[in-house]
Amino acid sequence: MEASLPDNEKALSILKMHGPQFLSAIANEMSITAEGARFHLLKLEKQGLVKSARHSKGRGRPQQIWSLTDKGNDRFPDTHADLTVKLISSMRDTLGENALKDVIDANATAGLNHYLQELDGINNLESRVAKLAEIRTREGYMADYQEDDEGYLLFENHCPICSAAKVCQGFCAAELKTFQSVLGESVSIRRVEHIIAGARRCAYRITPVKKNFL
């Protein structure tokens, strides 16, 4: 989390990164008291950026759980959304689907070369996943990862090209192919959550491939 962000913006970023949260979790992330966090959330609620709902947790009293509204999600921009969608539609209409695919492939190749340069010399899988998450965050995807028993999960909590991806899912297919090329044949990668399909974020299951030796 960027220390320079105003507290209100920190609360929005926490909810964007981690999804709906209890007040105590938000306060811990912001390193302030629960009352301090409540003050900021109520201010955001008045602006229509967050909302709260009662949630039963065990046998105690129901607690408030906070989440972003559609307006709150809109605070994380879709880069040049309208222009990009218009350009895609124009290219498809005037040049055809194959030409659009060629452009997407060329863009993916340029991105792949950039990623490979940044990951050059990094051989450990977790380090490569961490570096990939760092690069994607710089590009606006608010990426993170975690390790579990199956391998790793790479999360993208925001999609700065969401509008473009909705009208041309070739971007999503190219992205998955790029990740596979970046991380290598020693892993399998599949998308398990997809913003385009209505999920809160995109998530990728990264599993080391076990090689059978005869």
Side-chain angles (χ1 to χ4, degrees):
M1 189 69 58
E2 294 289 339
S4 60
L5 284 176
D7 285 337
N8 287 356
E9 297 297 327
K10 288 181 182 179
L12 291 177
S13 292
I14 290 166
L15 293 174
K16 183 67 173 175
M17 284 289 292
H18 303 295
Q21 297 288 307
F22 289 108
L23 177 66
S24 57
I26 297 171
N28 286 338
E29 284 284 338
M30 296 177 68
S31 299
I32 60 177
T33 65
E35 284 306 308
R38 189 190 304 277
F39 170 81
H40 293 297
L41 289 166
L42 290 174
K43 188 173 180 180
L44 292 168
E45 187 176 40
K46 288 181 179 179
Q47 298 174 45
L49 300 173
V50 302
K51 60 185 178 181
S52 65
R54 293 288 179 178
H55 180 82
S56 297
K57 189 178 181 181
R59 295 186 177 181
R61 294 175 59 187
Q63 297 185 40
Q64 280 184 312
I65 189 166
W66 294 85
S67 61
L68 292 177
T69 62
D70 289 341
K71 184 178 178 181
N73 272 301
D74 288 343
R75 291 290 292 271
F76 300 87
D78 190 342
T79 306
H80 308 299
D82 292 339
L83 176 60
T84 303
V85 170
K86 289 178 182 177
L87 288 173
I88 290 170
S89 297
S90 296
M91 186 176 296
R92 181 180 277 134
D93 292 341
T94 58
L95 301 177
E97 197 70 43
N98 288 337
L100 178 58
K101 181 180 182 301
D102 288 342
V103 171
I104 293 172
D105 289 345
N107 181 70
T109 298
L112 173 60
N113 290 336
H114 171 68
Y115 290 175
L116 290 176
Q117 286 179 5
E118 291 223 31
L119 273 71
D120 185 41
I122 303 176
N123 299 315
N124 175 267
L125 177 58
E126 181 171 3
S127 297
R128 291 181 73 82
V129 173
K131 185 64 176 181
L132 179 59
E134 176 191 319
I135 297 169
R136 297 293 283 181
T137 293
R138 293 203 307 263
E139 294 176 345
Y141 289 86
M142 300 179 71
D144 198 4
Y145 81 97
Q146 69 180 35
E147 183 178 10
D148 61 18
D149 292 340
E150 295 182 44
Y152 301 92
L153 280 166
L154 174 68
F155 302 111
E156 292 185 339
N157 295 286
H158 179 60
C159 179
I161 62 164
C162 189
S163 293
K166 284 179 179 179
V167 298
C168 181
Q169 293 198 26
F171 288 105
C172 296
E175 179 183 66
L176 188 59
K177 185 177 179 180
T178 295
F179 290 171
Q180 183 69 69
S181 297
V182 166
L183 297 178
E185 297 180 355
S186 62
V187 302
S188 67
I189 304 176
R190 58 189 176 91
R191 187 184 286 111
V192 293
E193 295 180 46
H194 199 187
I195 292 175
I196 301 301
R200 181 183 68 80
R201 63 189 178 186
C202 288
Y204 301 86
R205 163 62 62 189
I206 301 169
T207 307
V209 176
K210 295 181 179 179
K211 295 184 178 180
N212 295 320
F213 294 94
L214 298 178

